[in-house]
Amino acid sequence: MPELLKTDNSNAVLDQVSQIPPSKFKLLSNDDLDKLQEFLQSGIGTEENPQQYQRQLKSLPLFQTVQGERKCIEGHNSVFILKTECSGKFPDLFSINADGNIFLKYNLVNTHLSENMDISILTELGFYVKFLLPSLHTLTEAQVLDSIRLLLVLRKDPTYKEYHDKIVAKLRTVKFIRDIRGTLQLTSYFFDEKEPLYKIMLPLVKFVPPTFWKLFEQKKKSAVSRLLKDLGMKHTVSDEEIIEFALTIQSEAQGKTSVEELRRKSSALFKKAVEYNVTNIDSNLLNRIATIKFVFPVRIQKDLCDYHQPLVGERDLVGIKGSLIEENSDHQYLIWSSMPILPADSLPQSHLEHLKKAGAFHQPPCDLVAQNLKNICQSGCANHYLRNIRKTAFCKSYAYLQSKHFSASLLQDLPVVLVENDAALVQASQAVLILDDYKEFRPYLYRISPRHALYAEFFKRIGVEERPTIRQYSVVLKDIFMDSKRKETLNANQQLTMKRSVQHLFQLMKDQPQQIQFQETLYLPSADGKLYKSNDLYFNDTVFQKKRLEDSLKDKISLLMNLGHCHLGRDMYKHQKLLKLLPEPIRPTMLSHVTTKRLARSRMKSCEYGESCEFSGSFREKLSFGPFLHGLTCLIRQQSEGTMSHDHAVELCQNTFGRLKITCCESLETELFFGDEPLANTASETQVHVKKETQGFTFYLKHSDDIASKVIHKVTTLLTKEMNFLLGNILCPDHLNTLGQLLLCDTQEDIEKTLEEYGIHYSANKEEGHHHLDPGSPIPEEWYDALDMNFMNNYEGGEYVGFKKISEDELYYYAVIVERLDVSSEGQYCCKYKIQIGTNEFVEVSSLDLYQFKRKKTSASKQNHGREILLVDGPVPPPKKDFPKTFKEIKREIDDCLKEICTLSKDEQKKALRRLYLRWHPDKNPEQEELANEAFKYLKNKFKEFEQNGGPGQSSSSKNYRGQNKSGQSSWSWNFKDFYDEWDSEATRHRQGREKFYRHNSGPHYNFSSFHQDMPRTDRAEAKRWYSQAQCDLDAAHNDTGGGSPEWCLFKVHQAVEKALMAAEYRRCGKRSPNCSISSLAQKVSCYSPELSALPGLVSRLKHLGVNAKTTQYPSYHTPPKIPNNTFQPENETEVLDIASELLQKVDTFITN
Ligand SMILES: [Zn+2]
């Protein structure tokens, strides 16, 4: 056939070929068809009618499709040449009916066709996007899977990126993965199993099952996985997921999920969460889940759990916030019961910071450490194992808290202090760091072991004291009291503790008085060994004999235990001082405040001598003795070191002793009173007792006839003590002793000497009344009443008297008697005396112008030998009677006086009558008011008689009177009325003067001579008496000569000489110096008169010859074997007696002058 055709004309060929039925084309081989097609399409561009040509060509079933079929390309929407390599692999995909389009195989001839006929060449990717993708939903599952596989290939196409989004968007809407249950799911349904958290958290169904993976070649798997991720498979954990997981875990923990499972999840999630926060810096994920309980805390070590249950149980989960990051395994010890610990041991530091920001702690907070202590301190500790754990936990807590600032209130009142070798826990208030005798304080107060000293700072901060406080000791005592309340006695341990507590309490008060403060009731031990409220107890601070007082008080009160039993020494004064440290309201009562010694009145019996008792009289006299009171004043001033003024001291003395009474008792007993209740069997004899009366004091003295020095000394000592008591105990013992010595002094000089010896300043400020004793000075009015109106007195040389000048009616002056001028005169009623009335002024006056100072019957001359004075006789007048005892005697005295007055001159009569009038005036005799009134009445009647008769005894002459101005005429009429007023007012003035004296002066006596004790005064009578005895002693010495007892002769001579010298002293000044040696006495006496000047020489010779009171009596003065008897020479006896006689002779001459 080719020969028949014009083969180079394609138009002609085409026309020919178009005539051939399509089925005949199948008979041609591929090559032939290709050649034909090549030929025909080469004719394009050369034909006459291109449109005709192309249409004819297209309608030929000449073109090979992708599937290898020959089809015409006319009648299709579009014609593509598909450049594919995979069409063979996925024939289904490429044979889909794509809306009437035809896809020609990509080969050389078709490529030419494309060039000639402008047919576009399509890539596989292009095909995929353009045709496959839109119809994806219509594909079968297998086709879809193929399309995925295809896609995996196409992804390598360099232009893939352009289509990626479009492809992915479409694929996401297609379910092509079956889950394990066989249900088709979108890719976004699944989670990437490569993410461990998902793997752990999610059920299997949520993962792409293995069956799916098997659909792909092994080497494609990662590509598939990548694709799935693109398609929405979740592969990155989000914070929302984490939160959700956390919540899931939290709720699962409440359910039945196994602990292992929970633990696995929790651990993974926790790790993820922390990491997440690190990689997502801006995330606040951790904060958001911090409160969700999804973390399994660190397991607490076993020993701690054994000791106390941990805060979190087996299944309990915790949140991050408020938990501890485990940085130090030791921290478990601090908070295991109060705080969970996060398992953070493997986390890097940066992660920990995030946890901290989310509210976790990396150091245990102090309050929770305290809480832990609080939780565990109550746990029992039954064995050593637990005890050890406890010790470790506590010590670690101490150390930790010590290094932090923590508030002590966290541990207030908790027993967190280890004591007793770590066997016990106590509160801070029950322990101290340093405690002496600590063993004796258990179990009331503990010492913290020195091993724990390194925690001292901690202990101090929670309130442990370094040393116990007063309060702690009080609490110990209170505790013991409570513990023993219902018991009869304290047990032995309680006693030890009690005694130690009392000791330490008082020592502390003594050492730190500023700390003394008691909030608690204080309990102190009583003598019965039990504890009582301190202010219910009594302390025996009295001086009463223990037995006398305490026995009788036994059932009435509880006495404080002797503090000596509480290690506080035996010194009662110290005890008293310690007790005084206690505040008043809680101080035991001092027994001295509630017990008194009072007079046992029922047993008291007055002294039979009454007012005239010499024993008590001598003390009465001493206590009102002016110089003595002055000495006491000096003593008080010395004691006050001059801070007390003289006037004040005088006032004190006067207030104290001014109203002093002395009562002498035959028997004197005191008994003790508790309050106002007498105590049975406490009566006891006493020597001196002082009682305060409403006005002043009464000294009760037990009468003694014995004037032995021991009795005097004892009474004196007691007196000084009582006096000091009355003075408010202002004198110290030394001065008290001095006071005793002053009480023994008889003279002003003695007092002064004693003060000097004891180093007491003699205060020069003398009392009133000691001044102006100079002759001629006026006598103070207060002494007027002491002037004796009686004019029948004897005056001795040197005696102070009152003197009234005739010219001045109202004033009296001091005068000193020089001598009597008319010694030989028979009449005694009016005689002349020479008196001194100024330094060098002497006058001669009538005895009617002189007034003797009235003396009470006790006088200085009989202080210690009062009774003997009754024996006095001799030329001196008997001591005056103050006042006659009966009216009869009075009448006789008045009558006698008036009789005598008649013999006087008129002037003298007037003086005498005035004196008589005043003598009996009631104002001057207040103590004998009744008798005085009667006497006065009688006297006035007598005066009246005289007035009427013109004078007494007209008949009797005055021839006996030797006065110079004698006048017999009746120029002076007996009219007294003019004088009565004047005399009455004088009497009143005298009385007022005396009353003034009593107001201002101490002592009961209105006695000029004892008041002015220092005033020199002679006492002839006493001188005589002493001399008489001296003479007797000398006679006795004579009798001892030649008898082989020379020592007795010498002794008696000593006695004689001593008494003779004292007689001279009496003659001179009315007193003697006790306790002086004969040498010093002789020295003193030798000054009295020129005839006595030889005395010291005589005494010296006597002493040389052995005259001595001691050596002649006591062997102790001689070297053994000598005794006094064989020491002295009998040959000296005569000489000694001669000298003594000479001495006595000289004294005799002196005293009789
Ligand atoms: Zn008496």
Side-chain angles (χ1 to χ4, degrees):
M1 219 169 84
E3 305 103 88
L4 294 177
L5 288 174
K6 199 184 174 180
T7 53
D8 56 347
N9 186 336
S10 53
N11 277 315
V13 175
L14 180 57
D15 286 338
Q16 284 296 316
V17 172
S18 299
Q19 302 306 314
I20 299 167
S23 55
K24 294 290 183 188
F25 279 81
K26 287 176 185 171
L27 298 176
L28 291 175
S29 71
N30 261 341
D31 283 349
D32 291 343
L33 286 170
D34 284 346
K35 279 176 186 157
L36 177 63
Q37 184 184 351
E38 186 66 39
F39 174 75
L40 289 176
Q41 61 195 32
S42 62
I44 294 171
T46 59
E47 69 278 25
E48 295 154 15
N49 188 350
Q51 281 181 353
Q52 174 71 20
Y53 187 84
Q54 283 191 26
R55 199 178 66 241
Q56 277 185 330
L57 181 61
K58 282 181 181 175
S59 64
L60 292 176
L62 191 66
F63 306 94
Q64 190 174 24
T65 66
V66 176
Q67 284 82 21
E69 295 167 277
R70 297 280 170 169
K71 286 191 172 174
C72 64
I73 57 171
E74 199 186 17
H76 295 281
N77 282 350
S78 308
V79 178
F80 299 96
I81 293 168
L82 186 59
K83 191 177 173 184
T84 172
E85 285 157 16
C86 306
S87 57
K89 266 185 178 170
F90 310 106
D92 273 7
L93 290 183
F94 288 95
S95 60
I96 55 164
N97 183 7
D99 299 333
N101 298 321
I102 187 157
F103 302 96
L104 302 181
K105 191 172 182 167
Y106 179 69
N107 50 27
L108 190 62
V109 64
N110 280 349
T111 309
H112 292 156
L113 179 71
S114 141
E115 288 163 7
N116 294 331
M117 293 182 67
D118 197 19
I119 293 173
S120 47
I121 297 173
L122 198 65
T123 61
E124 284 181 312
L125 183 58
F127 172 81
Y128 194 93
V129 174
K130 204 161 177 181
F131 300 104
L132 204 51
L133 216 49
S135 56
L136 212 48
H137 286 284
T138 63
L139 299 185
T140 64
E141 188 183 344
Q143 286 173 322
V144 175
L145 285 173
D146 274 347
S147 78
I148 298 295
R149 290 188 192 100
L150 174 61
L151 189 61
L152 294 178
V153 178
L154 296 178
R155 282 165 71 107
K156 289 163 189 161
D157 190 298
T159 60
Y160 172 76
K161 274 185 185 159
E162 292 167 33
Y163 308 104
H164 175 79
D165 290 349
K166 194 175 177 187
I167 296 168
V168 165
K170 185 71 188 176
L171 276 177
R172 283 186 177 198
T173 64
V174 181
K175 293 179 178 178
F176 60 91
I177 305 173
R178 285 186 186 277
D179 64 21
I180 47 166
R181 289 192 286 258
T183 314
L184 277 173
Q185 304 283 9
L186 291 174
T187 314
S188 62
Y189 171 81
F190 295 100
F191 292 80
D192 186 358
E193 62 186 5
K194 295 263 172 47
E195 170 51 53
L197 185 64
Y198 290 155
K199 192 81 183 155
I200 287 169
M201 290 301 304
L202 296 173
L204 272 179
V205 73
K206 283 292 196 177
F207 297 99
V208 177
T211 46
F212 176 79
W213 294 111
K214 279 181 194 159
L215 296 172
F216 300 91
E217 291 168 62
Q218 188 63 34
K219 58 179 181 183
K220 298 262 171 137
K221 268 193 182 165
S222 63
V224 175
S225 175
R226 254 198 321 280
L227 178 66
L228 292 187
K229 285 177 187 170
D230 287 345
L231 295 183
M233 180 178 77
K234 294 185 212 61
H235 57 95
T236 315
V237 184
S238 71
D239 47 2
E240 294 304 329
E241 280 170 337
I242 290 176
I243 289 163
E244 197 189 320
F245 287 161
L247 288 168
T248 309
I249 294 176
Q250 181 173 250
S251 65
E252 278 181 357
Q254 311 298 319
K256 288 183 176 168
T257 317
S258 75
V259 176
E260 287 70 32
E261 168 103 23
L262 280 172
R263 199 171 277 282
R264 211 154 44 81
K265 287 184 177 177
S266 162
S267 155
L269 182 62
F270 179 62
K271 202 168 166 218
K272 188 78 198 175
V274 176
E275 281 167 358
Y276 184 89
N277 223 86
V278 174
T279 44
N280 300 274
I281 292 163
D282 299 331
S283 162
N284 64 343
L285 171 74
L286 278 181
N287 283 321
R288 293 174 65 197
I289 62 164
T291 53
I292 303 172
K293 293 180 177 175
F294 73 97
V295 188
F296 262 102
V298 167
R299 249 187 248 247
I300 300 301
Q301 60 195 61
K302 183 174 177 302
D303 53 353
L304 293 181
C305 298
D306 287 343
Y307 174 53
H308 187 281
Q309 208 180 358
L311 173 72
V312 282
E314 181 80 343
R315 283 186 70 90
D316 294 336
L317 294 168
V318 299
I320 291 169
K321 190 170 182 180
S323 295
L324 179 72
I325 304 166
E326 184 182 39
E327 281 187 289
N328 181 341
S329 59
D330 260 9
H331 285 170
Q332 284 199 13
Y333 286 91
L334 306 177
I335 45 89
W336 88 93
S337 77
S338 61
M339 188 182 197
I341 304 172
L342 298 175
D345 49 344
S346 57
L347 293 175
Q349 191 61 37
S350 57
H351 293 196
L352 300 183
E353 283 307 311
H354 289 283
L355 284 174
K356 214 173 129 188
K357 276 183 200 150
F361 293 89
H362 68 158
Q363 288 281 307
C366 291
D367 57 336
L368 291 174
V369 176
Q371 181 62 43
N372 186 54
L373 282 179
K374 190 174 185 172
N375 294 342
I376 65 176
C377 68
Q378 309 285 8
S379 290
C381 243
N383 56 46
H384 286 290
Y385 162 69
L386 292 176
R387 223 172 249 180
N388 259 331
I389 298 163
R390 179 171 74 179
K391 182 189 112 183
T392 313
F394 270 80
C395 286
K396 283 182 193 293
S397 300
Y398 296 159
Y400 181 77
L401 288 173
Q402 183 165 270
S403 68
K404 305 280 172 192
H405 291 289
F406 74 99
S407 162
S409 63
L410 295 172
L411 295 170
Q412 200 157 30
D413 297 334
L414 285 176
V416 293
V417 181
L418 279 170
V419 293
E420 289 283 83
N421 205 14
D422 306 327
L425 284 167
V426 295
Q427 293 180 10
S429 61
Q430 285 176 284
V432 288
L433 290 168
I434 302 170
L435 178 58
D436 300 330
D437 310 308
Y438 70 95
K439 287 178 185 163
E440 293 182 38
F441 280 95
R442 304 163 53 232
Y444 291 94
L445 192 60
Y446 295 96
R447 180 190 71 160
I448 285 172
S449 159
R451 285 182 292 114
H452 296 330
L454 66 162
Y455 312 122
E457 198 47 48
F458 164 79
F459 288 128
K460 281 183 188 172
R461 266 150 70 188
I462 63 164
V464 173
E465 301 282 351
E466 179 148 336
R467 288 170 183 281
T469 59
I470 285 172
R471 175 152 196 229
Q472 280 173 307
Y473 290 129
S474 321
V475 169
V476 169
L477 288 166
K478 186 181 176 185
D479 289 346
I480 299 175
F481 168 79
M482 299 308 275
D483 291 352
S484 61
K485 218 172 175 181
R486 301 187 190 289
K487 302 283 196 301
E488 289 285 315
T489 53
L490 302 190
N491 69 39
N493 282 324
Q494 287 170 332
Q495 285 191 31
L496 284 180
T497 312
M498 171 191 84
K499 287 171 181 175
R500 278 296 173 204
S501 301
V502 172
Q503 176 203 1
H504 287 224
L505 175 74
F506 279 111
Q507 275 172 357
L508 183 57
M509 286 200 293
K510 191 175 135 210
D511 296 344
Q512 300 179 5
Q514 71 281 2
Q515 271 203 10
I516 298 177
Q517 201 188 354
F518 286 87
Q519 293 118 323
E520 311 280 331
T521 310
L522 179 65
Y523 293 87
L524 289 176
S526 90
D528 68 9
K530 287 200 70 183
L531 283 167
Y532 295 87
K533 274 188 188 172
S534 58
N535 51 5
D536 286 345
L537 289 168
Y538 289 83
F539 177 75
N540 189 355
D541 63 331
T542 67
V543 293
F544 307 128
Q545 281 174 287
K546 227 175 157 55
K547 197 170 151 45
R548 186 182 178 194
L549 178 67
E550 291 185 8
D551 283 359
S552 59
L553 279 174
K554 225 167 223 169
D555 302 325
K556 293 190 166 45
I557 58 165
S558 294
L559 277 176
L560 181 72
M561 176 182 273
N562 183 340
L563 293 182
H565 297 318
C566 301
H567 320 284
L568 285 165
R570 298 270 155 215
D571 188 343
M572 179 269 210
Y573 292 102
K574 276 187 191 154
H575 297 168
Q576 211 166 337
K577 235 183 205 169
L578 292 174
L579 287 173
K580 292 241 167 82
L581 294 171
L582 287 170
E584 179 85 48
I586 62 165
R587 196 184 300 157
T589 311
M590 295 291 142
L591 258 189
S592 66
H593 293 177
V594 289
T595 49
T596 43
K597 184 164 73 174
R598 299 189 193 174
L599 205 59
R601 285 212 174 270
S602 58
R603 298 161 184 262
M604 198 184 94
K605 197 174 153 201
S606 293
C607 164
E608 55 176 327
Y609 300 104
E611 279 296 304
S612 61
C613 170
E614 297 294 336
F615 174 74
S616 56
S618 67
F619 285 104
R620 187 176 295 130
E621 187 122 343
K622 280 181 183 176
L623 289 175
S624 58
F625 182 37
F628 165 74
L629 289 171
H630 183 71
L632 177 55
T633 306
C634 298
L635 208 51
I636 291 171
R637 293 205 65 203
Q638 178 89 14
Q639 176 78 57
S640 79
E641 290 174 340
T643 52
M644 191 187 282
S645 72
H646 181 82
D647 287 349
H648 188 182
V650 168
E651 198 187 324
L652 179 65
C653 282
Q654 286 186 355
N655 287 343
T656 313
F657 301 111
R659 298 177 191 278
L660 194 82
K661 262 170 64 184
I662 292 188
T663 301
C664 195
C665 303
E666 181 90 24
S667 72
L668 184 61
E669 285 188 18
T670 56
E671 59 187 337
L672 301 182
F673 277 66
F674 181 67
D676 279 326
E677 181 190 353
L679 292 172
N681 306 319
T682 58
S684 168
E685 200 167 76
T686 184
Q687 217 82 36
V688 174
H689 180 74
V690 175
K691 188 162 181 276
K692 191 181 185 335
E693 310 283 0
T694 38
Q695 286 196 324
F697 299 90
T698 300
F699 272 97
Y700 290 90
L701 293 181
K702 183 175 162 11
H703 181 86
S704 172
D705 286 324
D706 185 2
I707 53 158
S709 61
K710 189 190 165 199
V711 175
I712 299 295
H713 184 256
K714 186 165 180 187
V715 174
T716 307
T717 311
L718 289 171
L719 265 180
T720 56
K721 202 201 77 181
E722 297 291 359
M723 287 169 75
N724 194 27
F725 175 73
L726 295 183
L727 288 168
N729 289 318
I730 57 173
L731 297 179
C732 69
D734 272 359
H735 290 162
L736 214 52
N737 191 23
T738 313
L739 178 61
Q741 292 303 314
L742 290 179
L743 263 179
L744 295 173
C745 290
D746 294 319
T747 65
Q748 164 91 19
E749 197 191 344
D750 236 7
I751 297 266
E752 287 178 21
K753 198 172 162 201
T754 306
L755 289 176
E756 182 191 320
E757 282 164 357
Y758 282 87
I760 310 296
H761 286 287
Y762 188 85
S763 193
N765 211 348
K766 281 191 167 190
E767 284 177 52
E768 196 190 341
H770 286 253
H771 301 291
H772 313 304
L773 276 175
D774 301 328
S777 60
I779 295 174
E781 260 192 19
E782 58 183 15
W783 283 114
Y784 282 6
D785 198 44
L787 295 171
D788 196 352
M789 290 300 143
N790 203 329
F791 46 89
M792 294 172 288
N793 286 322
N794 170 62
Y795 300 99
E796 292 286 346
E799 181 177 355
Y800 269 86
V801 293
F803 164 62
K804 192 163 168 52
K805 292 179 185 170
I806 304 161
S807 55
E808 295 173 56
D809 285 338
E810 292 186 0
L811 296 177
Y812 294 85
Y813 296 90
Y814 284 117
V816 176
I817 302 291
V818 179
E819 58 184 336
R820 181 170 168 175
L821 295 174
D822 45 354
V823 184
S824 57
S825 161
E826 0 151 1
Q828 289 206 349
Y829 289 94
C830 181
C831 41
K832 286 278 172 189
Y833 282 91
K834 185 181 177 183
I835 59 169
Q836 184 185 3
I837 55 166
T839 320
N840 284 311
E841 209 178 332
F842 299 89
V843 290
E844 292 176 12
V845 295
S846 152
S847 62
L848 281 168
D849 296 321
L850 299 178
Y851 300 83
Q852 197 159 45
F853 282 100
K854 233 190 276 187
R855 297 181 190 177
K856 293 258 176 174
K857 60 179 178 162
T858 40
S859 75
S861 63
K862 48 168 188 160
Q863 275 160 8
N864 289 319
H865 308 271
R867 288 206 196 144
E868 295 164 36
I869 203 162
L870 299 174
L871 305 170
V872 158
D873 57 358
V876 285
K880 287 177 296 290
K881 294 182 199 133
D882 269 352
F883 207 88
K885 284 203 168 61
T886 64
F887 183 54
K888 206 175 149 196
E889 284 176 60
I890 293 172
K891 273 205 306 207
R892 202 174 66 207
E893 194 185 323
I894 292 177
D895 290 346
D896 286 350
C897 278
L898 286 172
K899 215 182 275 169
E900 290 298 328
I901 289 171
C902 291
T903 66
L904 303 176
S905 70
K906 277 272 176 181
D907 278 354
E908 286 168 337
Q909 275 182 351
K910 188 189 163 192
K911 287 180 198 168
L913 288 170
R914 176 184 149 275
R915 290 180 75 140
L916 195 62
Y917 186 89
L918 290 171
R919 157 102 171 100
W920 301 107
H921 197 284
D923 269 350
K924 287 185 63 74
N925 295 290
E927 282 153 18
Q928 282 89 15
E929 208 184 337
E930 230 172 276
L931 271 179
N933 276 334
E934 243 179 294
F936 195 54
K937 213 165 124 195
Y938 179 76
L939 181 69
K940 277 184 139 178
N941 278 334
K942 276 283 167 192
F943 279 19
K944 225 176 252 171
E945 274 175 38
F946 293 153
E947 280 174 331
Q948 285 158 4
N949 299 343
Q954 285 280 310
S955 53
S956 84
S957 75
S958 54
K959 57 178 178 268
N960 286 339
Y961 181 66
R962 274 187 13 169
Q964 275 133 3
N965 296 322
K966 183 192 165 192
S967 162
Q969 293 86 33
S970 300
S971 61
W972 181 73
S973 69
W974 286 87
N975 190 346
F976 298 100
K977 279 185 183 142
D978 302 337
F979 304 115
Y980 284 167
D981 284 349
E982 187 190 322
W983 294 347
D984 282 343
S985 73
E986 181 166 3
T988 308
R989 213 165 64 236
H990 286 198
R991 196 193 67 211
Q992 288 165 346
R994 185 182 56 219
E995 283 165 2
K996 187 176 161 203
F997 174 89
Y998 280 122
R999 275 199 305 278
H1000 293 293
N1001 288 287
S1002 58
H1005 304 301
Y1006 183 59
N1007 192 334
F1008 180 81
S1009 48
S1010 58
F1011 193 79
H1012 298 101
Q1013 195 85 50
D1014 53 344
M1015 188 182 69
R1017 190 170 44 247
T1018 181
D1019 193 341
R1020 275 174 199 256
E1022 200 61 13
K1024 281 269 182 208
R1025 277 168 17 87
W1026 282 76
Y1027 182 76
S1028 300
Q1029 184 59 44
Q1031 194 65 59
C1032 294
D1033 289 351
L1034 192 61
D1035 290 347
H1038 260 292
N1039 297 339
D1040 273 333
T1041 51
S1045 332
E1047 81 276 16
W1048 272 108
C1049 176
L1050 294 175
F1051 177 72
K1052 287 170 180 171
V1053 165
H1054 182 272
Q1055 298 296 304
V1057 168
E1058 189 181 40
K1059 283 164 195 162
L1061 292 171
M1062 285 176 175
E1065 283 195 293
Y1066 274 120
R1067 172 63 185 85
R1068 171 69 177 193
C1069 53
K1071 65 191 179 187
R1072 64 184 170 88
S1073 322
N1075 307 323
C1076 279
S1077 72
I1078 51 173
S1079 303
S1080 60
L1081 275 176
Q1083 200 63 52
K1084 204 170 164 186
V1085 166
S1086 67
C1087 314
Y1088 295 166
S1089 155
E1091 64 235 42
L1092 297 178
S1093 59
L1095 262 48
L1098 295 175
V1099 167
S1100 168
R1101 282 170 63 197
L1102 288 172
K1103 290 189 79 169
H1104 186 69
L1105 291 166
V1107 172
N1108 187 306
K1110 305 274 186 186
T1111 56
T1112 53
Q1113 296 292 301
Y1114 305 112
S1116 53
Y1117 288 91
H1118 304 278
T1119 359
K1122 281 196 167 181
I1123 56 170
N1125 183 261
N1126 59 27
T1127 300
F1128 300 99
Q1129 306 304 314
E1131 307 87 82
N1132 292 344
E1133 286 175 348
T1134 320
E1135 192 185 350
V1136 166
L1137 287 170
D1138 288 348
I1139 299 170
S1141 293
E1142 190 188 342
L1143 190 146
L1144 259 67
Q1145 192 54 52
K1146 287 184 187 299
V1147 171
D1148 188 30
T1149 313
F1150 173 67
I1151 63 173
T1152 43
N1153 270 342

